Amino acid sequence: MKGPVLTIVVPCYNEEEVLPETSKQLSAVLTKLIDDYLISRESKILFVDDGSKDRTWALIEKEMAINPFVKGLKLARNAGHQNALLAGLETAATQSDCVVSIDADLQDDVKVIRTFVEKYRDGFDVVYGVRDKRETDTFFKRATALGFYRLMNKIGINLIPNHADFRLMSKRALNELFKYKETNLFLRGLIPLVGFPTTKVFYDRKERFAGESKYPLKKMLAFAFDGITSFSITPIRFVTFLGFLAVIISAMAGGYAIFQELAGHTESGWTSIMISIWFVGGLQLLAAGIIGEYIGKIYREVKRRPRYAIEVNAYSNMALGKQRLEVLTNTVGK
C-alpha cells in the first residue's frame, strides 16, 4: 500500500543559525517514516523564507542542492508568520495528501510527527500538537498564556489551549481552510472552524535550539489582540457596557449633588469634577481606540490586497526546472 504524500512546511525568518539542524532532523524523520512505509517517497520539506535579512535563503538553496527532501519558497517581502505559513500550506496542498506545519526553532518535538501521521492514517483530518507542560516558559509567560486562553474561551473563540502552529492537516481540511479569505489572518482561530475529525497529540516543548525568539512580548500582545478583534465583537460590547456604567455613576453623582444642594451642604467640588472629567475622557479614548481597531480591520479587508508575493517557488521539480530554464534563456538572450 502506497503511503500518503506528506509535506512539512517550515516558515523561516532570519533562521540561519538553526536551519541546517532543522533540515537534518526533519530529513531523519521523513527517512524513518518512508522506511516504515507510513508515507510516500515523494514526501518533502518546504522551507518558506519570509523575507529574511540574513543568509536563510542561501542556506535553503544549499540544502536543496544536497538534500532531495528539501524544497524552498521565497517570499518577495516579509509578510508575517501567519501569511508565510499560509503561503507554504497553499503551495504544499497542490501535491500533498497531508501537511505538517512546524516552526524552524526546533522547540516542537519533531518525533511527534510520526504520531501525527499515524493519527491521520486512523482517519483524522486535523491533528493538533499540544504542549503537555510549559516548564521552559517564565512564570509571566505561563500566566499570561493561561489568561489569554481563558479570555478567548469566555468571549466565544474556540482555541486549542497550549497549541501554536504545530499540527497536521489533510488535503480536504486544507482546501476548506483556503475558503476563508480574510486578510486579518489568525490560523489558530480559523482551523477549529473547518470541522472534520480532529484529535490532539501531547508533547513536551524544548528550549530553542539556536538564535532568538521572533515573538517578543510586544509582538505576542499584538498577536493576541489581533486574534481577539478578528473573531469577536466582545470588546466593543464591553465599551458599550462601560458607557452605560459611566452614565449610571454620573446619574448617581448628580443625584447626590442635588441632595447636597437642597440640604445646604454644598462645598467646592474641584476634585470630584476633575475625576469625572478624566474618567469620562478615558472611556471616550478607550472606545475610540477599540472602534478604530475594528475600522482599521475593515479598511484592510475591503482593499483585498494579496497576503503575500512569491519571488521563487522551488517546491516541485517541474517548477524548479522552469525557473532554471528561464534563467538560462535570459542569460543566452543577453
Side-chain angles (χ1 to χ4, degrees), residues 254-273:
Y256 176 76
I258 293 172
F259 174 78
Q260 290 290 85
E261 177 71 23
L262 295 176
H265 299 301
T266 56
E267 296 180 3
S268 59
W270 184 87
T271 303
S272 60
I273 290 173

Side-chain angles (χ1 to χ4, degrees), residues 231-252:
F231 281 84
S232 175
I233 61 170
T234 300
I236 288 183
R237 289 178 176 170
F238 180 68
V239 168
T240 304
F241 168 76
L242 287 179
F244 277 119
L245 185 63
V247 169
I248 293 171
I249 293 174
S250 299
M252 293 173 62

Side-chain angles (χ1 to χ4, degrees), residues 19-33:
L19 196 141
E21 182 63 24
T22 303
S23 177
K24 177 183 175 182
Q25 292 194 22
L26 292 178
S27 296
V29 170
L30 287 186
T31 299
K32 181 62 175 173
L33 290 173

Side-chain angles (χ1 to χ4, degrees), residues 46-57:
L46 177 60
F47 288 104
V48 182
D49 179 20
D50 185 22
S52 298
K53 298 177 181 178
D54 61 1
R55 297 178 57 252
T56 295
W57 180 247

Side-chain angles (χ1 to χ4, degrees), residues 18 21-22 25-26 29 102-113 130-138 141 162 166 202-211 213:
V18 72
E21 182 63 24
T22 303
Q25 292 194 22
L26 292 178
V29 170
I102 186 173
D103 289 337
D105 55 19
L106 293 177
Q107 287 189 278
D108 298 318
D109 189 356
V110 298
K111 296 178 181 178
V112 176
I113 294 175
V130 179
R131 297 177 62 172
D132 198 18
K133 303 174 184 177
R134 302 190 70 103
E135 294 179 351
T136 58
D137 291 344
T138 62
K141 190 170 183 179
N162 295 321
F166 185 33
F202 293 90
Y203 69 99
D204 292 330
R205 192 168 168 88
K206 304 175 183 178
E207 294 284 353
R208 184 180 175 87
F209 181 81
S213 172

Side-chain angles (χ1 to χ4, degrees), residues 65-314:
I66 62 176
N67 188 337
F69 287 130
V70 174
K71 304 297 178 183
L73 189 70
K74 186 178 192 302
L75 302 189
R77 58 178 174 80
N78 178 243
H81 179 272
Q82 295 290 280
N83 286 320
L85 177 54
L86 182 69
L89 295 177
E90 290 184 333
T91 302
T94 61
Q95 300 180 40
S96 306
D97 298 308
C98 55
V99 177
V100 168
S101 58
I102 186 173
D103 289 337
D105 55 19
L106 293 177
Q107 287 189 278
D108 298 318
D109 189 356
V110 298
K111 296 178 181 178
V112 176
I113 294 175
R114 182 186 184 91
T115 310
F116 283 5
V117 173
E118 291 172 347
K119 294 294 183 182
Y120 167 77
R121 292 172 67 97
D122 288 340
F124 292 100
D125 288 277
V126 182
V127 184
Y128 296 105
V130 179
R131 297 177 62 172
D132 198 18
K133 303 174 184 177
R134 302 190 70 103
E135 294 179 351
T136 58
D137 291 344
T138 62
F139 172 78
F140 175 78
K141 190 170 183 179
R142 288 198 300 269
T144 53
L146 181 61
F148 171 69
Y149 287 118
R150 284 179 176 173
L151 174 63
M152 297 294 268
N153 183 58
K154 287 288 185 182
I155 63 179
I157 302 175
N158 182 26
L159 291 187
I160 306 299
N162 295 321
H163 164 72
D165 290 300
F166 185 33
R167 67 180 77 87
L168 177 146
M169 297 186 70
S170 69
K171 188 180 185 69
R172 72 167 180 166
L174 286 169
N175 289 335
E176 194 66 28
L177 173 66
F178 300 153
K179 294 178 182 178
Y180 293 83
K181 301 297 183 181
E182 55 252 54
T183 301
N184 302 289
L185 202 59
F186 187 64
L187 291 174
R188 300 180 199 181
L190 283 178
I191 292 173
L193 299 179
V194 169
F196 299 122
T198 66
T199 189
K200 302 175 185 176
V201 173
F202 293 90
Y203 69 99
D204 292 330
R205 192 168 168 88
K206 304 175 183 178
E207 294 284 353
R208 184 180 175 87
F209 181 81
E212 298 179 354
S213 172
K214 305 304 183 295
Y215 268 89
L217 178 61
K218 182 179 178 181
K219 265 194 171 183
M220 289 295 294
L221 292 175
F223 184 68
F225 188 66
D226 194 50
I228 292 171
T229 53
S230 293
F231 281 84
S232 175
I233 61 170
T234 300
I236 288 183
R237 289 178 176 170
F238 180 68
V239 168
T240 304
F241 168 76
L242 287 179
F244 277 119
L245 185 63
V247 169
I248 293 171
I249 293 174
S250 299
M252 293 173 62
Y256 176 76
I258 293 172
F259 174 78
Q260 290 290 85
E261 177 71 23
L262 295 176
H265 299 301
T266 56
E267 296 180 3
S268 59
W270 184 87
T271 303
S272 60
I273 290 173
M274 292 305 296
I275 291 174
S276 300
I277 291 173
W278 281 104
F279 177 68
V280 175
L283 283 180
Q284 290 175 334
L285 290 174
L286 176 64
I290 292 178
I291 294 171
E293 177 71 19
Y294 281 92
I295 293 173
K297 287 185 179 296
I298 295 170
Y299 174 68
R300 289 197 296 269
E301 290 288 348
V302 298
K303 287 189 293 185
R304 307 306 296 170
R305 289 179 176 174
R307 288 179 284 200
Y308 57 84
I310 297 176
E311 182 177 341
V312 180
N313 182 354

